Amino acid sequence: MKKKILTIVLIISFLKVGAQTSAFKSIDSLLQIGRYQKALVQLQKREPSFKTNVKTATVYAMVDDYKKASKYYEKALLLKDDYSAKIKLGKSYQQEKKLKKAIVVFEDVLKKDSENLLISYQVGKLYLQTKQATKAVKLFKKLISVDKNNANYNYQLGVAYAMLRKRNLKINSFLAAYKNDDTHIKAIYQLAMAYTFLRDKDSAAIFIDKGIKVNPNHIKLNKLKINNLYRQKDYLPAIALLEKIDTLEPKEQYTKKMLGRCFLKLKDYGKAKENFKEALAIDKTDFKSYTYLGDIHFAEKDYRAARFNYWF
């Protein structure tokens, strides 16, 4: 008798599992052809379980509804402490910009699996986003000890040192990133900026040129190059670069103003006026452009127009 009861129980369990498997296959088939709303309807009809909650969360994440995705991942984790679901919840919190919640979830993952370098890297970046630079330094140092050839680890460590205002350590970290990857444009730009602030013209020029070689359309590096050319009185090459970035980012106040200044130095007053006026159309509070226009009118002996612009 007991054997018969056990057999019946096993058969029922088997049929139940089979039915669940069939249902989830049907839901997966709907998702493969983009019928996510129908898939959600089917999931809502089923008895809530860890699996249905995770699947529902996954569907919402697929359509970028991370608020609902997080809600269902939370429900799933109340039913079962699952490694994969926890990571997905952390990523969903990131998408929601709930950075502190994401940190808590990911830190819990790392307590149980400290060797997950991908999650460690995410936590390090989250520390930076939440202004926890000291924690970020500690974590990125640990990551570098595991993989010293990863340029991104060194770069993020440099960002953390920058937050802590540790100039030399910042530069050393960006140099280490560059050493590991000489096309790491973010590290190159930071080095160009750092040496510019230190007034180390030669080092700054080296990294500005390296960066533009890697990415010729990098706006910020081109601006640094333009500023250097202007200071060196190389106005024609500066104009060429300005006209290039003007095609990449049209109607920028910096570009129009610098074009005006270069043409003014070349005494091409017509083009200088044209660009200063365009700069003022973008920013009417830029009093320096009015002064430049006054200088042009003064050079042209139009003293009335010069006085008018000087008044601003």
Side-chain angles (χ1 to χ4, degrees), residues 56-160:
T56 302
T58 302
V59 174
Y60 280 123
M62 289 168 69
V63 294
D64 296 340
D65 191 342
Y66 294 105
K67 185 177 181 180
K68 287 182 180 176
S70 297
K71 174 185 171 183
Y72 280 95
Y73 283 131
E74 288 167 353
K75 286 183 176 183
L77 287 165
L78 288 173
L79 298 172
K80 180 182 175 183
D81 185 13
D82 183 79
Y83 181 86
S84 178
K86 198 168 283 185
I87 289 174
K88 288 175 181 176
L89 174 60
K91 290 180 178 179
S92 187
Y93 281 148
Q94 276 185 287
Q95 294 294 332
E96 283 192 88
K97 306 300 180 186
K98 293 181 177 178
L99 305 184
K100 290 183 179 179
K101 279 192 170 186
I103 288 172
V104 170
V105 172
F106 286 147
E107 284 180 338
D108 188 53
V109 170
L110 292 175
K111 283 178 185 176
K112 298 170 185 176
D113 183 12
S114 61
E115 294 183 9
N116 191 325
L117 301 183
L118 294 174
I119 297 301
S120 292
Y121 183 59
Q122 290 300 316
V123 172
K125 291 196 292 182
L126 284 165
Y127 284 151
L128 292 174
Q129 287 177 273
T130 53
K131 310 300 181 185
Q132 300 181 69
T134 302
K135 283 186 176 182
V137 166
K138 183 178 178 181
L139 186 50
F140 285 120
K141 277 185 174 181
K142 183 179 177 182
L143 287 170
I144 290 166
S145 71
V146 176
D147 182 5
K148 64 181 180 180
N149 296 319
N150 190 313
N152 288 320
Y153 294 165
N154 288 290
Y155 172 77
Q156 299 293 350
L157 181 60
V159 173

Side-chain angles (χ1 to χ4, degrees), residues 26-39 62:
S26 174
I27 290 165
D28 287 337
S29 296
L30 287 169
L31 291 173
Q32 285 175 6
I33 57 174
R35 308 297 196 273
Y36 78 92
Q37 290 176 317
K38 289 183 178 181
M62 289 168 69

Side-chain angles (χ1 to χ4, degrees), residues 11-66:
I11 290 170
I12 292 170
S13 298
F14 177 78
L15 291 172
K16 192 173 181 181
V17 170
Q20 287 179 344
T21 303
S22 177
F24 280 110
K25 281 184 179 179
S26 174
I27 290 165
D28 287 337
S29 296
L30 287 169
L31 291 173
Q32 285 175 6
I33 57 174
R35 308 297 196 273
Y36 78 92
Q37 290 176 317
K38 289 183 178 181
L40 286 171
V41 169
Q42 286 201 22
L43 283 163
Q44 293 302 322
K45 288 179 180 178
R46 301 197 61 76
E47 185 180 342
S49 66
F50 170 79
K51 196 169 183 180
T52 59
N53 283 318
V54 168
K55 182 65 72 173
T56 302
T58 302
V59 174
Y60 280 123
M62 289 168 69
V63 294
D64 296 340
D65 191 342
Y66 294 105

Side-chain angles (χ1 to χ4, degrees), residues 260-274:
R261 292 175 70 187
C262 290
F263 284 123
L264 176 58
K265 290 292 185 180
L266 294 171
K267 296 186 178 181
D268 188 336
Y269 297 137
K271 288 183 179 179
K273 278 193 284 189
E274 178 185 335

